[in-house]
Amino acid sequence: MPSLKSLRLRINSVKSTQKITKAMKMVAASRLRRAQEAAEAGRPFAERMERVLFNLAGKQAGSDSAPALMSGTGKDQVHLLVVATAERGLCGAFNSSIVRLARRHIEDLLRAGKTVKILCVGRKGRDQLRREYGSMIIDTIELTGVKRVGFNHAEQIGERILSLFAHGEVDVVTLFYSRFKSVISQIPTAQQLIPIALPAAEAQADVGGAIPEYEPDEEAILADILPRNVSVQVYRALLENAASEQGARMSAMDNATRNAGEMIKKLTISYNRQRQAIITKELIEIISGAEAV
Protein backbone atom coordinates (compact mmCIF):
# COMPACT_ATOMS: atom_id res chain seq x y z
CA MET A 1 0.00 0.00 0.00
CA PRO A 2 1.47 3.42 -0.93
CA SER A 3 2.37 5.82 1.87
CA LEU A 4 0.51 9.04 2.58
CA LYS A 5 3.42 11.06 1.24
CA SER A 6 3.46 9.21 -2.08
CA LEU A 7 -0.32 9.67 -2.41
CA ARG A 8 -0.01 13.40 -1.73
CA LEU A 9 2.73 13.71 -4.34
CA ARG A 10 0.67 11.80 -6.88
CA ILE A 11 -2.43 13.92 -6.24
CA ASN A 12 -0.40 17.12 -6.69
CA SER A 13 1.14 15.72 -9.87
CA VAL A 14 -2.27 14.86 -11.35
CA LYS A 15 -3.59 18.31 -10.38
CA SER A 16 -0.68 19.94 -12.22
CA THR A 17 -1.37 17.78 -15.28
CA GLN A 18 -5.05 18.73 -15.11
CA LYS A 19 -4.15 22.43 -15.17
CA ILE A 20 -2.02 21.89 -18.27
CA THR A 21 -4.67 19.90 -20.14
CA LYS A 22 -7.34 22.46 -19.24
CA ALA A 23 -5.15 25.29 -20.52
CA MET A 24 -4.41 23.36 -23.74
CA LYS A 25 -8.14 22.79 -24.25
CA MET A 26 -8.82 26.52 -23.93
CA VAL A 27 -6.01 27.39 -26.35
CA ALA A 28 -7.26 24.82 -28.87
CA ALA A 29 -10.81 26.19 -28.55
CA SER A 30 -9.63 29.72 -29.32
CA ARG A 31 -7.59 28.56 -32.32
CA LEU A 32 -10.35 26.27 -33.58
CA ARG A 33 -12.72 29.12 -34.42
CA ARG A 34 -10.21 30.84 -36.71
CA ALA A 35 -9.08 27.56 -38.27
CA GLN A 36 -12.68 26.45 -38.88
CA GLU A 37 -13.56 29.77 -40.50
CA ALA A 38 -10.50 29.52 -42.77
CA ALA A 39 -11.34 25.93 -43.77
CA GLU A 40 -14.97 26.76 -44.53
CA ALA A 41 -13.95 29.86 -46.49
CA GLY A 42 -11.51 27.84 -48.60
CA ARG A 43 -13.97 25.11 -49.59
CA PRO A 44 -16.15 27.02 -52.13
CA PHE A 45 -13.20 28.15 -54.26
CA ALA A 46 -11.59 24.70 -54.32
CA GLU A 47 -14.89 22.97 -55.06
CA ARG A 48 -15.77 25.45 -57.81
CA MET A 49 -12.36 25.00 -59.39
CA GLU A 50 -12.90 21.24 -59.37
CA ARG A 51 -16.27 21.68 -61.09
CA VAL A 52 -14.76 23.86 -63.81
CA LEU A 53 -11.93 21.37 -64.29
CA PHE A 54 -14.34 18.44 -64.51
CA ASN A 55 -16.37 20.29 -67.13
CA LEU A 56 -13.31 21.17 -69.20
CA ALA A 57 -11.63 17.80 -68.73
CA GLY A 58 -14.79 15.97 -69.76
CA LYS A 59 -14.55 17.61 -73.19
CA GLN A 60 -10.84 16.88 -73.54
CA ALA A 61 -10.93 13.31 -72.21
CA GLY A 62 -9.48 10.88 -74.72
CA SER A 63 -8.02 13.65 -76.86
CA ASP A 64 -4.38 13.38 -77.97
CA SER A 65 -3.86 17.03 -77.08
CA ALA A 66 -5.05 16.60 -73.48
CA PRO A 67 -2.55 17.96 -70.88
CA ALA A 68 -0.39 15.41 -69.08
CA LEU A 69 -1.78 16.46 -65.70
CA MET A 70 -5.18 15.31 -66.90
CA SER A 71 -4.32 12.26 -68.97
CA GLY A 72 -1.33 11.13 -66.91
CA THR A 73 1.87 9.57 -68.20
CA GLY A 74 0.10 6.58 -69.68
CA LYS A 75 1.51 4.37 -66.91
CA ASP A 76 0.32 3.43 -63.45
CA GLN A 77 3.51 2.10 -61.90
CA VAL A 78 5.00 4.78 -59.60
CA HIS A 79 2.66 6.27 -57.00
CA LEU A 80 3.46 9.33 -54.89
CA LEU A 81 1.54 9.58 -51.62
CA VAL A 82 1.47 13.06 -50.07
CA VAL A 83 0.65 12.44 -46.40
CA ALA A 84 -0.30 15.68 -44.61
CA THR A 85 -0.35 15.49 -40.80
CA ALA A 86 0.37 17.78 -37.85
CA GLU A 87 3.69 18.96 -36.49
CA ARG A 88 2.66 18.27 -32.89
CA GLY A 89 0.93 15.53 -30.98
CA LEU A 90 -1.56 15.53 -28.09
CA CYS A 91 -4.47 15.68 -30.54
CA GLY A 92 -6.05 12.27 -30.09
CA ALA A 93 -6.26 9.99 -33.11
CA PHE A 94 -5.91 12.83 -35.65
CA ASN A 95 -2.45 11.89 -36.93
CA SER A 96 -2.81 8.12 -36.60
CA SER A 97 -6.11 8.05 -38.54
CA ILE A 98 -4.50 9.76 -41.55
CA VAL A 99 -1.47 7.48 -41.36
CA ARG A 100 -3.72 4.43 -41.03
CA LEU A 101 -5.53 5.34 -44.25
CA ALA A 102 -2.21 5.94 -46.04
CA ARG A 103 -0.81 2.65 -44.71
CA ARG A 104 -3.78 0.70 -46.11
CA HIS A 105 -3.29 2.42 -49.47
CA ILE A 106 0.43 1.58 -49.43
CA GLU A 107 -0.25 -2.08 -48.69
CA ASP A 108 -2.79 -2.30 -51.52
CA LEU A 109 -0.30 -0.76 -53.97
CA LEU A 110 2.54 -3.04 -52.87
CA ARG A 111 0.35 -6.12 -53.26
CA ALA A 112 -0.44 -4.93 -56.80
CA GLY A 113 3.29 -4.70 -57.57
CA LYS A 114 3.43 -0.89 -57.70
CA THR A 115 6.31 1.35 -56.67
CA VAL A 116 5.45 3.70 -53.81
CA LYS A 117 7.07 7.03 -52.89
CA ILE A 118 6.00 9.08 -49.88
CA LEU A 119 6.19 12.85 -49.40
CA CYS A 120 5.42 13.74 -45.79
CA VAL A 121 3.97 17.12 -44.85
CA GLY A 122 4.35 17.30 -41.08
CA ARG A 123 6.67 15.51 -38.65
CA LYS A 124 4.11 13.24 -37.01
CA GLY A 125 3.26 11.43 -40.22
CA ARG A 126 6.94 10.92 -40.98
CA ASP A 127 7.64 9.61 -37.47
CA GLN A 128 4.93 6.95 -37.81
CA LEU A 129 5.57 5.94 -41.41
CA ARG A 130 9.34 5.68 -41.25
CA ARG A 131 9.15 2.70 -38.90
CA GLU A 132 7.85 0.50 -41.71
CA TYR A 133 8.31 2.52 -44.90
CA GLY A 134 11.38 4.65 -44.18
CA SER A 135 13.02 3.70 -47.49
CA MET A 136 9.98 5.00 -49.41
CA ILE A 137 10.00 8.49 -47.86
CA ILE A 138 11.67 10.86 -50.36
CA ASP A 139 11.32 14.05 -48.31
CA THR A 140 9.58 15.74 -45.38
CA ILE A 141 8.19 19.26 -45.54
CA GLU A 142 7.96 20.71 -42.05
CA LEU A 143 5.76 23.67 -41.08
CA THR A 144 6.92 23.83 -37.47
CA GLY A 145 7.49 27.59 -37.34
CA VAL A 146 4.34 28.46 -39.30
CA LYS A 147 1.67 30.01 -37.07
CA ARG A 148 -0.90 30.40 -39.84
CA VAL A 149 -0.85 28.39 -43.05
CA GLY A 150 -0.88 30.51 -46.20
CA PHE A 151 -1.24 29.78 -49.89
CA ASN A 152 2.50 30.31 -50.35
CA HIS A 153 3.16 27.19 -48.24
CA ALA A 154 0.77 25.16 -50.38
CA GLU A 155 2.41 26.55 -53.51
CA GLN A 156 5.82 25.26 -52.41
CA ILE A 157 4.37 21.78 -51.88
CA GLY A 158 2.51 21.97 -55.20
CA GLU A 159 5.68 22.98 -57.05
CA ARG A 160 7.53 20.02 -55.54
CA ILE A 161 4.76 17.64 -56.68
CA LEU A 162 4.68 19.14 -60.19
CA SER A 163 8.47 18.95 -60.44
CA LEU A 164 8.47 15.22 -59.61
CA PHE A 165 5.73 14.61 -62.17
CA ALA A 166 7.37 16.74 -64.87
CA HIS A 167 10.65 14.81 -64.51
CA GLY A 168 8.81 11.50 -64.93
CA GLU A 169 9.58 10.32 -61.39
CA VAL A 170 5.92 9.61 -60.52
CA ASP A 171 2.82 8.57 -62.47
CA VAL A 172 0.02 9.02 -59.93
CA VAL A 173 -0.20 11.47 -57.01
CA THR A 174 -2.62 10.98 -54.10
CA LEU A 175 -3.09 13.43 -51.22
CA PHE A 176 -4.02 12.27 -47.70
CA TYR A 177 -5.50 14.62 -45.11
CA SER A 178 -8.33 14.90 -42.60
CA ARG A 179 -11.51 16.75 -43.58
CA PHE A 180 -13.06 18.76 -40.75
CA LYS A 181 -16.68 17.92 -39.98
CA SER A 182 -17.07 18.87 -36.31
CA VAL A 183 -15.10 19.06 -33.08
CA ILE A 184 -15.64 15.34 -32.46
CA SER A 185 -15.58 14.18 -36.08
CA GLN A 186 -12.72 14.44 -38.57
CA ILE A 187 -12.81 12.33 -41.72
CA PRO A 188 -9.54 10.90 -43.14
CA THR A 189 -9.61 11.56 -46.88
CA ALA A 190 -7.62 10.36 -49.89
CA GLN A 191 -7.78 12.60 -52.97
CA GLN A 192 -6.10 11.84 -56.29
CA LEU A 193 -4.41 14.96 -57.63
CA ILE A 194 -2.60 13.64 -60.73
CA PRO A 195 -4.06 12.61 -63.07
CA ILE A 196 -7.25 14.40 -62.14
CA ALA A 197 -9.95 11.87 -61.26
CA LEU A 198 -12.96 12.57 -63.46
CA PRO A 199 -16.43 11.93 -61.96
CA ALA A 200 -19.16 9.96 -63.66
CA ALA A 201 -20.73 11.51 -66.74
CA GLU A 202 -23.97 12.31 -64.96
CA ALA A 203 -22.08 14.09 -62.17
CA GLN A 204 -20.44 16.40 -64.71
CA ALA A 205 -23.73 17.70 -66.07
CA ASP A 206 -24.45 21.29 -65.09
CA VAL A 207 -27.66 22.11 -63.29
CA GLY A 208 -30.33 23.26 -65.74
CA GLY A 209 -28.52 21.76 -68.73
CA ALA A 210 -26.56 24.96 -69.43
CA ILE A 211 -23.51 24.56 -71.68
CA PRO A 212 -20.78 27.06 -70.76
CA GLU A 213 -18.46 28.53 -73.37
CA TYR A 214 -14.86 29.36 -72.47
CA GLU A 215 -12.42 31.89 -73.88
CA PRO A 216 -9.67 31.21 -74.77
CA ASP A 217 -10.14 27.57 -75.80
CA GLU A 218 -10.28 24.66 -73.34
CA GLU A 219 -6.70 23.56 -73.98
CA ALA A 220 -5.24 26.95 -73.05
CA ILE A 221 -7.35 27.18 -69.91
CA LEU A 222 -6.46 23.64 -68.80
CA ALA A 223 -2.75 24.30 -69.34
CA ASP A 224 -2.98 27.19 -66.86
CA ILE A 225 -5.53 25.93 -64.37
CA LEU A 226 -4.38 22.32 -63.92
CA PRO A 227 -1.04 23.21 -62.23
CA ARG A 228 -2.81 25.86 -60.15
CA ASN A 229 -5.41 23.30 -59.07
CA VAL A 230 -2.72 21.14 -57.44
CA SER A 231 -1.70 24.00 -55.13
CA VAL A 232 -5.33 24.93 -54.47
CA GLN A 233 -6.23 21.38 -53.42
CA VAL A 234 -3.11 21.16 -51.23
CA TYR A 235 -4.06 24.48 -49.63
CA ARG A 236 -7.57 23.22 -48.90
CA ALA A 237 -6.06 20.08 -47.34
CA LEU A 238 -3.78 22.16 -45.11
CA LEU A 239 -6.70 24.32 -43.96
CA GLU A 240 -8.86 21.27 -43.30
CA ASN A 241 -5.99 19.68 -41.37
CA ALA A 242 -5.49 22.81 -39.25
CA ALA A 243 -9.16 22.85 -38.23
CA SER A 244 -9.24 19.08 -37.68
CA GLU A 245 -6.10 19.20 -35.54
CA GLN A 246 -7.47 21.87 -33.22
CA GLY A 247 -10.83 20.12 -32.97
CA ALA A 248 -9.17 16.80 -32.16
CA ARG A 249 -6.84 18.46 -29.62
CA MET A 250 -9.74 20.24 -27.94
CA SER A 251 -11.67 16.99 -27.62
CA ALA A 252 -8.61 15.03 -26.43
CA MET A 253 -7.67 17.63 -23.79
CA ASP A 254 -11.26 17.80 -22.57
CA ASN A 255 -11.25 14.02 -22.06
CA ALA A 256 -7.84 14.20 -20.38
CA THR A 257 -9.05 16.93 -18.01
CA ARG A 258 -12.11 14.90 -17.00
CA ASN A 259 -10.03 11.75 -16.56
CA ALA A 260 -7.59 13.66 -14.36
CA GLY A 261 -10.50 14.90 -12.22
CA GLU A 262 -11.77 11.35 -11.75
CA MET A 263 -8.27 10.14 -10.85
CA ILE A 264 -7.91 12.94 -8.29
CA LYS A 265 -11.19 11.89 -6.66
CA LYS A 266 -10.11 8.24 -6.43
CA LEU A 267 -6.68 9.14 -5.05
CA THR A 268 -8.22 11.54 -2.52
CA ILE A 269 -10.62 8.84 -1.29
CA SER A 270 -7.71 6.39 -0.98
CA TYR A 271 -5.66 9.03 0.86
CA ASN A 272 -8.46 9.82 3.34
CA ARG A 273 -9.15 6.14 4.01
CA GLN A 274 -5.50 5.39 4.70
CA ARG A 275 -5.15 8.50 6.87
CA GLN A 276 -8.24 7.50 8.83
CA ALA A 277 -6.87 3.99 9.28
CA ILE A 278 -3.57 5.34 10.63
CA ILE A 279 -5.37 7.67 13.06
CA THR A 280 -7.61 4.84 14.26
CA LYS A 281 -4.60 2.59 14.77
CA GLU A 282 -2.82 5.26 16.81
CA LEU A 283 -5.90 5.81 18.99
CA ILE A 284 -6.18 2.08 19.63
CA GLU A 285 -2.51 1.96 20.66
CA ILE A 286 -2.97 4.91 23.03
CA ILE A 287 -6.09 3.41 24.67
CA SER A 288 -4.44 -0.01 24.98
CA GLY A 289 -1.38 1.57 26.62
CA ALA A 290 -3.54 3.55 29.03
CA GLU A 291 -5.48 0.44 30.03
CA ALA A 292 -2.27 -1.52 30.53
CA VAL A 293 -1.05 1.10 33.02
Side-chain angles (χ1 to χ4, degrees):
M1 182 178 292
S3 64
L4 290 178
K5 182 179 179 181
S6 64
L7 284 172
R8 282 198 304 269
L9 290 175
R10 192 173 179 189
I11 291 172
N12 291 333
S13 175
V14 176
K15 284 182 178 179
S16 299
T17 303
Q18 187 183 41
K19 290 179 182 178
I20 295 172
T21 55
K22 189 175 181 180
M24 291 184 68
K25 174 193 170 184
M26 296 174 65
V27 171
S30 65
R31 291 178 177 176
L32 173 62
R33 183 180 59 83
R34 295 193 298 269
Q36 183 177 354
E37 289 175 354
E40 291 175 348
R43 287 173 186 170
F45 182 77
E47 290 171 357
R48 185 59 184 171
M49 176 170 278
E50 276 190 331
R51 288 177 59 189
V52 172
L53 273 175
F54 292 158
N55 190 286
L56 288 168
K59 299 178 181 180
Q60 293 290 317
S63 173
D64 296 335
S65 59
L69 290 175
M70 188 186 78
S71 60
T73 60
K75 297 182 293 183
D76 185 28
Q77 181 58 34
V78 183
H79 287 250
L80 174 66
L81 309 187
V82 183
V83 184
T85 56
E87 298 289 344
R88 301 172 182 85
L90 296 177
C91 49
F94 168 72
N95 293 308
S96 58
S97 61
I98 299 174
V99 172
R100 192 180 303 115
L101 179 62
R103 187 179 285 115
R104 287 200 298 266
H105 197 72
I106 293 171
E107 293 299 329
D108 291 341
L109 291 173
L110 293 178
R111 280 194 295 268
K114 309 297 184 182
T115 302
V116 178
K117 296 183 179 181
I118 303 172
L119 176 62
C120 295
V121 180
R123 293 187 298 112
K124 288 300 177 179
R126 176 202 62 192
D127 292 344
Q128 293 187 40
L129 286 172
R130 68 180 177 185
R131 300 169 189 169
E132 300 177 63
Y133 312 108
S135 59
M136 301 178 188
I137 299 176
I138 59 174
D139 197 6
T140 302
I141 299 175
E142 295 187 12
L143 303 174
T144 307
V146 178
K147 294 183 179 180
R148 191 169 184 176
V149 176
F151 185 72
N152 58 316
H153 302 107
E155 250 184 339
Q156 294 174 5
I157 300 170
E159 289 173 359
R160 180 66 191 278
I161 295 171
L162 292 172
S163 175
L164 291 170
F165 181 77
H167 288 84
E169 298 182 32
V170 296
D171 300 320
V172 180
V173 179
T174 306
L175 174 64
F176 293 85
Y177 65 97
S178 184
R179 183 164 59 86
F180 179 81
K181 185 177 181 181
S182 67
V183 175
I184 59 173
S185 177
Q186 300 85 34
I187 305 172
T189 305
Q191 179 183 359
Q192 184 173 310
L193 297 180
I194 303 174
I196 183 170
L198 295 177
E202 57 272 13
Q204 296 184 41
D206 287 341
V207 177
I211 301 176
E213 293 184 0
Y214 297 95
E215 291 184 3
D217 58 14
E218 287 86 349
E219 293 181 11
I221 296 175
L222 283 173
D224 178 72
I225 203 174
L226 278 170
R228 190 187 304 271
N229 177 65
V230 174
S231 298
V232 169
Q233 300 306 325
V234 170
Y235 183 48
R236 177 173 68 170
L238 294 179
L239 293 178
E240 294 282 351
N241 260 8
S244 297
E245 178 188 353
Q246 298 304 330
R249 180 170 288 114
M250 179 180 170
S251 179
M253 292 301 103
D254 180 56
N255 291 334
T257 302
R258 285 190 282 105
N259 291 340
E262 293 176 3
M263 184 176 291
I264 290 170
K265 289 180 182 178
K266 291 180 181 179
L267 289 172
T268 302
I269 291 173
S270 178
Y271 174 82
N272 289 336
R273 284 177 177 174
Q274 188 168 341
R275 182 170 175 270
Q276 186 177 10
I278 292 174
I279 293 172
T280 303
K281 182 180 178 181
E282 290 177 351
L283 287 174
I284 291 174
E285 290 175 353
I286 293 171
I287 292 171
S288 299
E291 289 179 352
V293 174

